[in-house]
Amino acid sequence: MRSALSEGRAVRWTLIALGVGFLALFLVIPLLAVFSEALRRGMEPFLAAFDEPDTQSAIGLTLLVAAIAVPLNLVFGVAAAWAVAKFEFRGKSILVSLIDLPFSVSPVVAGLVYVLLFGAKGLLGPLMDDWQFKIIFAVPGIVLATIFVTFPFIARELIPLMQEQGTAEEEAALTLGASGWRTFLTVTLPNVRWALLYGVLLCNARAMGEFGAVSVVSGHIRGLTNTMPLHVEILYNEYNFVAAFAVASLLAGLALVTLGAKSVLEWRYGDGLARIHRH
Amino acid sequence: MSERILTKRRRLLAAASALPILSAFASARAQAPQDVVLTNVSYDPTRELYKAINDAFAKQWQASTGQKVTVRASHGGSGKQARSVIDGLEADVVTLALAGDIDAIARESKRLPDNWQSRLPNNSSPYTSTIVFVVRRGNPKGIKDWPDLARQGVSVVTPNPKTSGGARWNYLAAWAYELDRVEGDQAAARKFVEAIYRNVPVLDSGARGSTTTFAQRAVGDVAISWENEAFLILQEFGADKFEIVVPLFSILAEPPVALVDAVVDKRGTRKVAQAYLDFLYSPAAQKIIARNFYRPVKPDAADPADLARFPKIKLVTIDQVFGGWAKAQAEHFADGGQFDRIYKPSGKAVVR
Amino acid sequence: MSDAALSGWLPRVRKPSALPGFGLTLGFAVSYLSLIVLIPLAVLVARAGTLGLDGIWRVATTPRVLAALEVSFFISAAAALVNAVFGVIVAWVLVRYEFPGKRLLDAAVDLPFALPTAVAGIALAALYAENGWIGGLFVPFGIKIAFTPLGILVALIFIGLPFVVRTVQPVLQDFDREVEEASATLGATRRQTVFRVVLPSLTPALLTGVALAFARAVGEYGSVIFIAGNMPFVSEIAPLLIVTKLEEFDYAGAAAIATVMLAISFLALLAINGLQAFSRRRFGHA
């Protein structure tokens, strides 16, 4: 019998087939291809790829860069979302568009702007040289480029949700005498924790996977300024396909694990939370 | 009350927000005082070569001076690498695909003198190479020499000369061949090169990408390639799948090396960097060079079996045919140059 | 600097609110935005500006650049449209239906964020080439995917997919089923309920997702160059021309193309954000 509240069987399975087919074609098969290339010669060459000191230093650098870039963007995302979602002011839509801007900047250009700013022939280049301060072709440049490309992720997750939630709950807490900071911690934060977690996960995944922008400012010095994605390219260009895809599969695996963890959390606690925040 | 606390907090937060950014800038690399690290900024296909050279040099340097030296390598498209050095990448030595790129470093950054090329023997090239063809097993299209690449129905793989140093050699070799055949008729040479590029279905941005397209993706009947890269294709992808075809006429590619004076003086590495470059001309290094499919400039030291792999080809230099790199670059590869003129608007930009 | 200045200046431009922290959060957000994004981009625009307006115009309107811009923007728009349709279907399927492997698929949606673009490009080129798993299926029909504009489309669909799914999904999740019940009670068919009630309220989120997917696609470089073929006037994208200009040490020319792309993308984003605000008012908050 057809219900007025859900689609007929045929429609439902057609949609599932379409959705799953689309994901398979564009996501699952490429992912399988990465893992199958990595394991093409069995486990041993796969594991051997991680024994290389250059690979290890690339992994270390990637973790370091993400550990700096993600928290900074987290603080920014929360601050921006608070200002944009809880207040009405002139120029808000321009501010929101500007926050999105890094998405629309080609990663190549994202790297280029820092070269124009801090490079030897850049605006601040001579100054940096006097101070013995290396930005471009060193870790700070890689961090900056990474912050740039992952800039909007957390703010983007928070703004629509906080806008939708309005200000009533916070106002109630303030009326009851809570301080602003306490209101944020006990009222706002619990309401957005999933979006926040989600934004952090995406930001982190992108920070670890960024290639184009980092490639411009890195200098590609083995064991020094190579991040994991750059190392993948290097290995690939050395015809070391197994090792290249092994490192790539580590990146993909890392993403899958964090996303899996998120799903589990959501599944175990999400329903209760959803009920709380709806009322 | 809360207003006052907020103002205070505001200031604190403003200060705190600046801190992590600053501390990120402040990271510096630590180095043991007696050990020395050199950075060699090189082009794409030399990875295997310099891996071997660097190990050999480190051993030799430690044996003669007791100092431990680590040579860090950076590889990428030659032009891109040159630009990184101009923008401040601290290379003690550069070993690039063509003199034009090192000229650009000297011109744009003044980190080394304009006469850099005369400071080392043989135009600062410790090894040379040339341009050959790689075809699929059995050579199904019967490719023998340059004119076969311009034939209709032959699909040619070569990277984009705008972004790849190797591709510039490929392009100039074809041009030089036709120019020699028609005895200097530039218009005919242009038409010939244009016909070859009409047969190119994919313009990869680098030599290695181009190799992968040809070998892994099975695109194209023939790949134009560095000679050393061609040998490497056979070694990596199987001699049972590909064959090298040597044209009767090609160009002498002279990849140069140079000391970056401003960097070695700043870092105090001039002595060891100079020794590294001199080492490239030593018998030990020349032997490694020949083993890695580059043509050594002092073949006496090389293994005769390695040398036997290099066929005799009539080779012309870029100075003879094109009047040097500066001129070739401006005429052929600059914005609006000969290469750009090969590609014209097709009227319909997007083929759907 | 902006903090003190802003709090003195802002009360006039914002509506009064009981909540604290406006000056602090906006001040920090704007300072951070300026330091990381706006000032560096201003340097870029200034560098392009050394050519003068007519110089930028000359660079941007050479046939080669125009063709590349057309390829970039046209194919990005096509990819965003494909993602709009399939993104909604995927979000719908993931939220409303139960089927085996659903959680795994849900997690996989974010893959394009996590996979380095270069790896994505290599993997897609390998799959969609004529000798690849998927590309091989199309050979009998005479369709080439890798190394043609279709290859660019594939890469850009891949890059943009999560943006649409992830913006639509939470809204759909929070969508009040009571509204659907009301619609059904009032006699609407299921089709009418979906197309007249549910989908319109997804519109603001969908527009955001499409805008982000489009903007991201326009600038994408790493994954595209491996699969595009990069033929001038056919499959050459604008970011590749920027790189080409850089290889010629023509920083100003590169900055000029980048500035033009930036301007177009920003206008598109602004328009879509405006459209979103409009539909938010029109259809009520999502």
Side-chain angles (χ1 to χ4, degrees):
Chain A
M1 197 198 86
R2 279 184 74 164
S3 150
L5 276 180
S6 78
E7 297 73 41
R9 207 177 229 291
V11 175
R12 201 181 326 159
W13 284 105
T14 310
L15 285 178
I16 291 180
L18 273 176
V20 172
F22 182 74
L23 288 184
L25 211 57
F26 286 97
L27 289 182
V28 179
I29 296 180
L31 182 65
L32 289 181
V34 169
F35 281 100
S36 92
E37 285 289 329
L39 295 168
R40 161 172 286 189
R41 304 230 166 92
M43 256 339 245
E44 243 167 73
F46 175 80
L47 292 174
F50 301 105
D51 264 349
E52 276 276 311
D54 285 345
T55 305
Q56 287 165 2
S57 97
I59 295 173
L61 180 60
T62 293
L63 293 177
L64 173 71
V65 169
I68 300 171
V70 175
L72 283 173
N73 280 341
L74 172 64
V75 174
F76 163 75
V78 172
W82 181 267
V84 168
K86 305 290 183 189
F87 300 92
E88 285 304 321
F89 56 92
R90 223 186 286 164
K92 189 154 101 170
S93 73
I94 291 182
L95 180 64
V96 173
S97 297
L98 284 175
I99 291 174
D100 285 343
L101 196 56
F103 275 144
S104 61
V105 175
S106 177
V108 177
V109 176
L112 173 66
V113 292
Y114 291 112
V115 171
L116 291 180
L117 199 54
F118 297 115
K121 301 187 71 191
L123 212 58
L124 301 177
L127 202 67
M128 295 297 143
D129 208 36
D130 290 348
W131 293 352
Q132 298 273 316
F133 221 34
K134 282 183 56 149
I135 294 184
I136 298 301
F137 309 119
V139 176
I142 299 175
V143 170
L144 275 175
T146 306
I147 292 180
F148 188 103
V149 291
T150 57
F151 189 86
F153 274 93
I154 297 171
R156 251 292 147 203
E157 286 292 323
L158 291 180
I159 290 172
L161 185 62
M162 281 167 70
Q163 252 168 349
E164 192 189 321
Q165 287 169 352
T167 56
E169 289 181 43
E170 281 82 3
E171 277 160 12
L174 288 168
T175 315
L176 293 174
S179 70
W181 184 240
R182 201 177 144 75
T183 304
F184 171 75
L185 284 183
T186 54
V187 177
T188 315
L189 208 54
N191 273 344
V192 299
R193 64 206 272 184
W194 294 116
L196 192 72
L197 177 69
Y198 208 62
V200 168
L201 287 176
L202 289 187
C203 183
N204 185 56
R206 184 90 164 81
M208 290 192 181
E210 176 51 26
F211 173 78
V214 170
S215 156
V216 177
V217 295
S218 139
H220 302 95
I221 307 170
R222 276 174 160 260
L224 200 64
T225 61
N226 254 341
T227 61
M228 276 163 81
L230 299 182
H231 196 60
V232 172
E233 192 211 16
I234 284 186
L235 290 170
Y236 189 81
N237 277 342
E238 281 168 6
Y239 305 126
N240 196 346
F241 301 123
V242 168
F245 280 104
V247 178
S249 68
L250 183 65
L251 276 167
L254 227 55
L256 285 182
V257 166
T258 48
L259 293 166
K262 180 218 96 189
S263 298
V264 170
L265 278 175
E266 234 173 22
W267 181 55
R268 286 194 55 184
Y269 304 107
D271 295 345
L273 263 152
R275 253 203 313 282
I276 292 169
H277 103 234
R278 213 162 275 167
H279 288 284
Chain B
M1 179 210 86
S2 74
E3 184 60 47
R4 212 181 61 230
I5 294 177
L6 265 175
T7 328
K8 202 168 130 199
R9 211 169 261 151
R10 206 176 283 167
R11 266 192 230 118
L12 264 175
L13 212 99
S17 63
L19 267 178
I21 301 175
L22 285 180
S23 63
F25 287 131
S27 80
R29 95 174 98 121
Q31 242 174 55
Q34 68 274 38
D35 292 358
V36 59
V37 175
L38 284 185
T39 303
N40 174 5
V41 171
S42 192
Y43 62 112
D44 239 343
T46 56
R47 295 158 197 269
E48 295 76 14
L49 171 67
Y50 279 110
K51 224 176 223 174
I53 294 263
N54 293 348
D55 287 348
F57 174 70
K59 274 200 201 96
Q60 193 241 32
W61 183 255
Q62 187 156 30
S64 63
T65 66
Q67 190 182 35
K68 195 165 170 266
V69 57
T70 312
V71 185
R72 292 199 190 276
S74 166
H75 296 275
S78 190
K80 180 177 160 192
Q81 295 289 73
R83 188 162 42 78
S84 293
V85 173
I86 292 169
D87 283 326
L89 179 60
E90 288 200 336
D92 298 280
V93 298
V94 285
T95 55
L96 296 179
L98 36 98
D101 285 330
I102 301 185
D103 281 339
I105 298 174
R107 187 179 65 239
E108 303 271 332
S109 78
K110 312 275 175 231
R111 283 170 187 231
L112 64 166
D114 286 335
N115 69 347
W116 63 270
Q117 205 167 7
S118 61
R119 295 192 297 181
L120 285 166
N122 195 44
N123 278 335
S124 289
S125 296
Y127 42 81
T128 65
S129 190
T130 186
I131 301 301
V132 299
F133 310 144
V134 182
V135 297
R136 300 191 189 281
R137 188 194 156 83
N139 197 356
K141 293 276 165 114
I143 310 286
K144 288 197 188 66
D145 207 349
W146 291 99
D148 295 320
L149 305 192
R151 254 181 13 216
Q152 261 190 359
V154 173
S155 173
V156 181
V157 172
T158 178
N160 187 346
K162 304 281 257 190
T163 49
S164 157
R168 268 172 243 177
W169 288 113
N170 296 353
Y171 169 102
L172 292 176
W175 192 287
Y177 164 84
E178 185 66 3
L179 205 59
D180 181 72
R181 200 182 66 84
V182 298
E183 291 165 351
D185 183 350
Q186 296 281 355
R190 190 184 122 74
K191 239 177 112 191
F192 179 73
V193 170
E194 192 174 324
I196 291 181
Y197 277 87
R198 288 261 168 263
N199 286 342
V200 176
V202 178
L203 279 175
D204 279 293
S205 58
R208 286 275 155 117
S210 177
T211 305
T212 316
T213 300
F214 178 73
Q216 295 267 88
R217 312 274 169 266
V219 171
D221 302 310
V222 51
I224 315 178
S225 163
W226 290 102
E227 183 179 48
N228 53 290
E229 193 74 5
F231 280 112
L232 211 59
I233 293 176
L234 261 56
Q235 186 180 299
E236 295 288 332
F237 295 97
D240 53 337
K241 293 195 190 109
F242 302 101
E243 286 173 22
I244 295 179
V245 171
V246 180
L248 301 173
F249 178 104
S250 195
I251 199 159
L252 179 71
E254 297 171 291
V257 302
L259 194 74
V260 185
D261 297 67
V263 174
V264 293
D265 288 342
K266 183 179 159 197
R267 298 188 60 229
T269 48
R270 180 178 277 276
K271 212 175 126 212
V272 57
Q274 186 63 52
Y276 179 72
L277 293 183
D278 292 339
F279 176 74
L280 293 174
Y281 292 88
S282 72
Q286 291 286 313
K287 200 172 163 152
I288 296 173
I289 283 167
R291 199 183 316 132
N292 281 281
F293 313 115
Y294 288 83
R295 298 184 176 215
V297 293
K298 294 179 180 166
D300 304 348
D303 190 334
D306 289 340
L307 292 179
R309 298 182 299 195
F310 302 121
K312 294 255 179 302
I313 314 177
K314 184 184 174 200
L315 296 174
V316 290
T317 69
I318 189 153
D319 291 343
Q320 289 163 2
V321 184
F322 299 97
W325 262 110
K327 208 160 158 255
Q329 178 72 29
E331 208 174 304
H332 292 273
F333 308 119
D335 200 19
Q338 292 283 15
F339 178 72
D340 276 347
R341 270 178 263 162
I342 289 177
Y343 291 97
K344 293 181 204 89
S346 55
K348 220 173 69 182
V350 183
V351 183
R352 298 252 18 232
Chain C
M1 70 113 227
S2 54
D3 206 57
L6 276 176
S7 39
W9 171 71
L10 282 164
R12 275 177 284 124
V13 296
R14 74 169 163 113
K15 291 188 184 152
S17 161
L19 298 187
F22 178 67
L24 172 74
T25 53
L26 186 69
F28 174 74
V30 170
S31 315
Y32 188 75
L33 179 73
S34 308
L35 273 178
I36 300 286
V37 178
L38 298 184
I39 294 175
L41 286 181
V43 172
L44 174 83
V45 176
R47 191 57 172 258
T50 57
L51 293 175
L53 264 185
D54 57 326
I56 297 177
W57 185 251
R58 215 172 23 249
V59 171
T61 53
T62 55
R64 181 90 171 264
V65 175
L66 275 182
L69 287 172
E70 195 184 324
V71 168
S72 277
F73 282 93
F74 184 75
I75 300 183
S76 298
L81 282 181
V82 171
N83 275 331
V85 174
F86 283 94
V88 171
I89 294 177
V90 167
W92 183 275
V93 164
L94 289 178
V95 170
R96 290 295 173 94
Y97 302 147
E98 285 303 324
F99 56 94
K102 180 177 130 170
R103 274 179 201 290
L104 210 67
L105 274 187
D106 196 359
V109 167
D110 294 306
L111 189 73
F113 286 145
L115 208 59
T117 51
V119 178
I122 291 165
L124 289 173
L127 285 174
Y128 285 85
E130 284 186 22
N131 66 346
W133 294 350
I134 301 175
L137 301 178
F138 289 88
V139 172
F141 307 103
I143 300 174
K144 280 190 190 180
I145 298 179
F147 313 119
T148 72
L150 276 181
I152 306 180
L153 185 69
V154 167
L156 296 184
I157 290 174
F158 177 84
I159 289 300
L161 173 65
F163 287 101
V164 177
V165 177
R166 290 313 189 205
T167 45
V168 172
Q169 203 178 5
V171 180
L172 198 58
Q173 219 142 26
D174 275 2
F175 190 80
D176 209 334
R177 294 301 289 254
E178 283 167 26
V179 178
E180 284 174 69
E181 282 163 27
S183 160
T185 316
L186 292 172
T189 64
R190 183 62 191 157
R191 180 194 294 262
Q192 284 172 323
T193 304
V194 169
F195 283 94
R196 309 289 267 297
V197 177
V198 184
L199 288 186
S201 67
L202 295 182
T203 309
L206 180 61
L207 281 173
T208 307
V210 169
L212 295 180
F214 171 75
R216 173 86 171 81
V218 167
E220 177 55 17
Y221 175 75
S223 61
V224 175
I225 48 160
F226 287 98
I227 197 173
N230 307 322
M231 299 306 294
F233 297 103
V234 178
S235 55
E236 188 175 56
I237 54 168
L240 177 60
L241 274 187
I242 296 179
V243 173
T244 306
K245 289 268 177 222
L246 287 177
E247 305 289 305
E248 292 161 5
F249 308 108
D250 181 5
Y251 286 73
I257 301 179
T259 304
V260 171
M261 287 182 69
L262 197 63
I264 302 176
S265 304
F266 185 65
L267 286 179
L269 274 183
L270 211 58
I272 292 171
N273 276 343
L275 208 60
Q276 190 206 3
F278 169 77
S279 62
R280 198 183 286 275
R281 277 196 302 277
R282 170 99 163 62
F283 301 117
H285 78 82

